[in-house]
Amino acid sequence: MARGARFLLVLALLAALLAVVFQLYRLRKPRLWTVEELSLYNGTNEGLPILLAILGSVFDVTKGRSHYGPGGGYHHFAGRDASRAFVSGNFTGDGLTDSLQGLSSSEVNSIVDWRKFYFERYIFAGKLIGRYYDSQGNPTKYLKGVEMKAKRGAQLLEKQKSDEAKIPGCNSKWSQQEGGEVVRAVVEGAKQLLELVFGII
């Protein structure tokens, strides 16, 4: 009996080891999806996971079934790459596309930020063959261009934040009952300026 128990234990350890090796292999080489395959995972079949793609990266969003499944607020993203809709807000026909043509660098940067969100919160399930990844799973020139444009958008955003930090905020307040009022510090500053420039007050 002890010999049989050892054999079963060794067999169980081998099975566990094979499962780990299989998982590592899957992580090393992501699954490649076609547009047709991905469309089957749109949440209408309860037996399948719900998948979406953004910039060609495919994610399993099944844990958010109430959002991504039929009737959910984000169902239009399920089973496709609708990258453009993440910033356009157009969730109909032409808006549900992976094309980013005509978008600004800051809009493209927002889409890259959305992709980061999915990498952080959901399970990466592979790559979608097409605009962003070729049939071998390699990034296309289009994806590289998108990432460069997003980087420019991020730099512009940082510059804008830096510039805004240099400009003081508005020091006024207004209400319908009391009308407008400039905060005392602004008035005092203006008095000092007038005194300095014109020698008055």
Side-chain angles (χ1 to χ4, degrees):
M1 184 73 174
R3 182 175 252 173
R6 273 194 207 132
F7 177 74
L8 288 176
L9 180 62
V10 169
L11 195 60
L13 287 172
L14 270 172
L17 182 62
L18 282 173
V20 168
V21 168
F22 178 72
Q23 287 295 342
L24 289 174
Y25 176 76
R26 276 187 49 200
L27 291 174
R28 187 180 65 81
K29 185 163 175 92
R31 174 167 176 189
L32 299 178
W33 298 85
T34 65
V35 171
E36 295 77 20
E37 288 172 323
L38 185 61
S39 69
L40 299 174
Y41 295 83
N42 65 3
T44 57
N45 183 338
E46 290 277 331
L48 295 176
I50 302 173
L51 305 178
L52 68 73
I54 180 168
L55 299 176
S57 295
V58 179
F59 298 94
D60 182 337
V61 295
T62 307
K63 72 178 184 180
R65 182 174 292 281
S66 63
H67 303 291
Y68 296 98
Y74 303 120
H75 178 64
H76 41 267
F77 290 116
R80 66 177 73 189
D81 188 330
S83 295
R84 183 182 198 88
F86 279 90
V87 295
S88 72
N90 181 355
F91 305 124
T92 61
D94 295 344
L96 295 172
T97 180
D98 62 350
S99 172
L100 307 184
Q101 186 174 358
L103 294 181
S104 70
S105 59
S106 61
E107 289 172 317
V108 172
N109 184 51
S110 292
I111 296 170
V112 169
D113 285 346
W114 273 110
R115 180 181 62 179
K116 183 180 175 189
F117 165 84
Y118 281 95
F119 269 114
E120 292 169 352
R121 302 255 167 80
Y122 292 96
I123 298 168
F124 176 66
K127 300 174 182 177
L128 181 63
I129 299 168
R131 188 180 304 270
Y132 299 103
Y133 292 99
D134 66 19
S135 61
Q136 303 302 307
N138 300 311
T140 63
K141 288 181 183 178
Y142 191 87
L143 178 58
K144 292 174 185 174
V146 161
E147 289 174 342
M148 285 177 51
K149 191 171 186 176
K151 189 174 182 179
R152 284 193 306 273
Q155 290 168 343
L156 286 173
L157 184 62
E158 283 303 312
K159 183 177 179 345
Q160 180 183 359
K161 286 180 183 177
S162 173
D163 290 348
E164 287 174 359
K166 295 175 187 173
I167 301 169
C170 180
N171 288 331
S172 65
K173 61 182 182 178
W174 184 88
S175 72
Q176 190 159 355
Q177 287 180 330
E178 297 177 22
E181 178 186 315
V182 178
V183 176
R184 188 178 310 249
V186 174
V187 172
E188 291 303 318
K191 283 181 183 178
Q192 289 173 2
L193 182 62
L194 286 171
E195 188 175 310
L196 208 92
V197 174
F198 299 108
I200 56 174
I201 301 183

